[in-house]
Each structure stands twice: as structure tokens, then as C-alpha cells.
Amino acid sequence: MPWESIKLNSGYYIPSIGFGTWTLGNGQGPIDQVEQALENGYNHIDTAQSYRNEGETGIALKESGLSRSDIFVTTKYSGTNSLDIPTSIKNSVNSLGVSYVDLYLVHSPRLAVPDIPTCWAQMEKVKEDGLAKSIGISNFGVQDMEILMASAKVKPAVNQILLHPYVYQQQKPILDYAAKNGIIIEAYSALIPITKLPGGPLDKPLNEIAAKFGATPEQVLLAWTKAKGAVVVTTSSKRTRLQGYLAAGDIALSPEDVAAIDAAGALGEKKAIVKIMLKRVAVGAIACAAVFSACNFLGISMM
């Protein structure tokens, strides 16, 4: 299935679809689900300090029987328990039961304390010390990346961001900046238009394109994400869905298919903005009404 590996600016390759542990919690559940993902052909596991299941991920990696070189492991510095980067990466590799991770990310620019250049210098030291083969960022905007790049000795290999058609126009400047600077985009929550926002403008083109390919709308969304050049990080507890997500790599969308999804996504994004604005206006109106009522009750003139 053509989810080809993508070469990073560090010289290493990243599998273009990964299994994420964000929503798995802890205990036996994530162990079983990571093992299931590995058994079904996922060789890229994405976790984080703040997910609190690095230990469970490590157990699954060990019990899989796969060699370390056969699995691409990503984790993230999340500032959990106010620990610094040098301490956090050591804790993470220990919890995962590995001597290094393939990719280590700063989970958010707000974690860059005291500032982005200082934080990134610490990340560069993680790479220099051999604790991560590649280093990157997550949820960084264009301005954040510009600040980082101004002082960086090592470019971030990836920027992992929220990406689906309803936020594509909003996120496009990030994609453009990353492409210009040789930074790969990783996409999380690509299936939100179906799982969280059904009934929107995307339903029609997704269903039509899915029918054309004999696929599911979920598979079409993943194929769209792939068409944008992004690495997909997804998850499911269902074996059949995991297999379906892998099969989505075989779907080659036409430029017209991609354009139809883009257009529907942009329409949905505009509707969402209008909805937010109306909600704010409504909240403001209610607040004003409350103020007028209070003033009237207290005998205060607003004129």
C-alpha cells in the first residue's frame, strides 16, 4: 500500500501514516491498541509526554517482537510536571524502553520557556546527544517558525498541526512556509469533518468521491491529506478501520477531486466563522441586556 516513507531534512525517513496514542488513556487499553496497530502494519507510533501512556507504548513495542529499527517512534516534550527538556527526553526514552526516539517534538510554542530560541537550542542538544534522530515542532504558527528559524542551527524536521479541509485555508500559510523551508507537515485530527462535524458542506463531495473509488469518506479524507503532502497521524480501536486507513494510501485523487474538497472545506470554514461571530454578538446582546436591566433596577440612567 503506497503510504511511502518521506525523507526529512535530517536525512532520515518518516513513514507517511502513523498511529497516535493521544486519546487512548493509560492501562491495558493502549497496550492492546498499539500492539494491534503494529500487527496491522503501522510502523510509526506517535505519543507524547502529556498523553501519559509512553510506558504503555513501550510495553507494546517490546511485546511486538519487532526490532527497534523496524519502528519509527515519535514523542513530544509537553512540559508535564514542569520538567525541562533534558529531563523530559531522558524520562521519555526510559518509559518507552528505547535508547533513542526517531522524532522528538516541542508540543506547542507556549512551552518554549523562556523563549523559542532557548528552547530550540535545548532540542538541538537532544539531537546532538543521540537521544533523537530528528527534532521538530507541533502547533507552531508562521511567526513562531520565523523566530525559531532565525537562530536555529538545525531546522525542525516537521511541524505537526491540526489539518483537515475545514481549517485548510486557515492553516495554509503554515503549509506554505514549511514547504519553502523544507519542513514536513504532519496532520492530526484529519477525520474531524466526519467524526465531529458531520452534516457540513464536505459531506456531498466526500460521498461522491468515495462512491467513485468504492471507498469510504474517511478514506477519501486521508487521501486528501496525503495529496497535500502531509504525514497522517490517526487512530482507531477497530481493526477494520485501521486496515481501511492503510488501504486509503491506494486512492489517487485527481486535481478536480482535491479542488472539490478544498472548495467545500472553505465554505464550511466561512460558515463556522459566521457562526462564531453570531454567537459572540448574541452573548454581547445578552450581556448588554443584563446591564440595562441591572441599571434599571438600581435606578441608574444609561442615557
Side-chain angles (χ1 to χ4, degrees), residues 24-176:
L24 304 190
N26 47 38
Q28 189 61 41
I31 297 174
D32 293 341
Q33 291 186 49
V34 172
E35 286 182 349
Q36 177 174 254
L38 293 168
E39 289 167 0
N40 280 273
Y42 288 78
N43 61 346
H44 173 185
I45 305 300
D46 180 283
T47 187
Q49 184 185 35
S50 63
Y51 301 169
R52 300 187 184 277
N53 51 32
E54 288 176 314
E56 288 86 344
T57 300
I59 292 171
L61 295 178
K62 183 178 180 180
E63 291 182 351
S64 73
L66 295 170
S67 65
R68 177 65 187 88
S69 60
D70 290 334
I71 309 172
F72 189 100
V73 180
T74 297
T75 194
K76 309 174 192 74
Y77 168 68
S78 308
T80 304
N81 297 327
S82 300
L83 297 175
D84 59 15
I85 288 174
T87 304
S88 295
I89 183 59
K90 289 174 184 175
N91 289 347
S92 288
V93 294
N94 287 337
S95 294
L96 288 162
V98 297
S99 59
Y100 68 91
V101 294
D102 295 278
L103 180 61
Y104 193 48
L105 308 180
V106 181
H107 213 155
S108 166
R110 65 179 176 78
L111 300 169
V113 177
D115 52 44
I116 289 175
T118 303
C119 170
W120 191 247
Q122 293 176 349
M123 291 291 287
E124 291 175 333
K125 185 66 165 57
V126 168
K127 185 178 189 301
E128 182 183 328
D129 290 345
L131 293 172
K133 288 188 173 182
S134 303
I135 52 176
I137 51 183
S138 181
N139 301 306
F140 273 53
V142 172
Q143 186 176 4
D144 302 318
M145 290 190 286
E146 288 174 340
I147 293 170
L148 187 155
M149 292 289 286
S151 64
K153 296 177 182 177
V154 177
K155 283 185 180 182
V158 309
N159 186 8
Q160 186 178 122
I161 62 171
L162 172 69
L163 183 62
H164 56 75
Y166 285 146
V167 298
Y168 175 62
Q169 292 302 320
Q170 171 189 320
Q171 300 289 63
K172 194 173 184 301
I174 298 174
L175 272 70
D176 292 343

